[in-house]
Amino acid sequence: MRISARSAVTAAASAGLLFMLAACGSTAGGTAAVGDPAAAAGATTSASTSTRTTAPTTTSPRTTTPTSGRTTTSSSTPSDLTLDSGVTIEELKGDIDGAQTIVDGFWTTHWSDYFTGSYVPPTVVGLYDGTDPDTAPECDGEPLEAYNAFYCPGNDSVAWDASLLVEGADRIGDSWVYLVIAHEWGHAIQARLDGTLVAQADELQADCLGAAALYGAAADGTLTFDMGDEQELVTSLSALADQMPWTMTSDHGDAFQRVQWFTLGRNGGVNACLDVLTDPSASTAPSTIDVSPTDVPPPTGGGAPPTA
């Protein structure tokens, strides 16, 4: 069996991403963006949300310092590659750092708007090489898989395989990274809640919480959406539902369901992801589906995630 030329490129890009991770050591900061580092202008802050009960925390998780910054590399290194989507490996590394920062920043800022207790971030294991089980981080004694991303309840950590992020960014664009990271963080949020607030369809609820965090961050002015980014998010949800070897409709939902729940979080924010437990019809109402980026106004508001 021969590896295709394109697969060889993305494998090299994954290696370059891991190389940059080892080479960079500065802290991410400033305004993260999907496709554009410019800050959103004119954002205001407000919050009028109900307070929910959280589950007691028995561990003391931490957030590892995210790495950031631009690295100048030799032209012979795989970190110089540009993906088919036009995203460079340097830009992809910056997007990973930015996504971690803005998602954690949203929950840090707004946890008390929605829940009791204090927000404690999960441990960020971050990038790993799932093709090498000897070096891959473990969850409950098992090495994390290639082409996957995880929230591990055992050690309260989040992690994402380099090949998964490269492949998605290559095929779809940089918004892929934000979706994957926001989704896994959504599982970390579920782990902090009383069980009555966690949906049986926990994968779909994680999509909803991820959307609430991304659009809440946009409302805060810490994340900017460019034209086409929202369509990339919809394409990413469809790929995660139908095209990845580890996704099954039975546990992650089909593409339509994933878009529905993501849109629920986009339009209604965090509370919508919880209120749906008492009004299941809210997750399937056709009026919540709006996937055309040209028809979606920019988010407004602040602490409470935006409405369309």
Side-chain angles (χ1 to χ4, degrees), residues 123-224:
T123 297
V124 180
V125 173
L127 281 173
Y128 68 91
D129 181 6
T131 64
D132 184 359
D134 291 334
T135 62
E138 293 186 351
C139 180
D140 297 330
E142 295 294 328
L144 302 187
E145 303 169 353
Y147 290 96
N148 210 337
F150 290 89
Y151 168 70
C152 181
N155 58 13
D156 193 41
S157 67
V158 288
W160 21 87
D161 174 55
S163 297
L164 173 74
L165 297 190
V166 168
E167 181 79 13
D170 183 51
R171 290 165 47 190
I172 296 170
D174 58 355
S175 301
W176 168 270
V177 170
Y178 286 81
L179 177 64
V180 169
I181 291 175
H183 173 91
E184 296 308 326
W185 225 284
H187 284 307
I189 297 303
Q190 289 171 325
R192 285 152 172 72
L193 303 182
D194 185 275
T196 60
L197 299 178
V198 179
Q200 185 174 0
D202 61 332
E203 293 292 342
L204 296 176
Q205 190 182 45
D207 286 336
C208 186
L209 292 169
L214 292 177
Y215 282 89
D220 288 342
T222 59
L223 182 67
T224 300

Side-chain angles (χ1 to χ4, degrees), residues 16 23 50 101 146 159 205 216 238 248 262:
S50 59
T101 299
Q205 190 182 45
S238 299
M248 295 184 296
F262 187 85

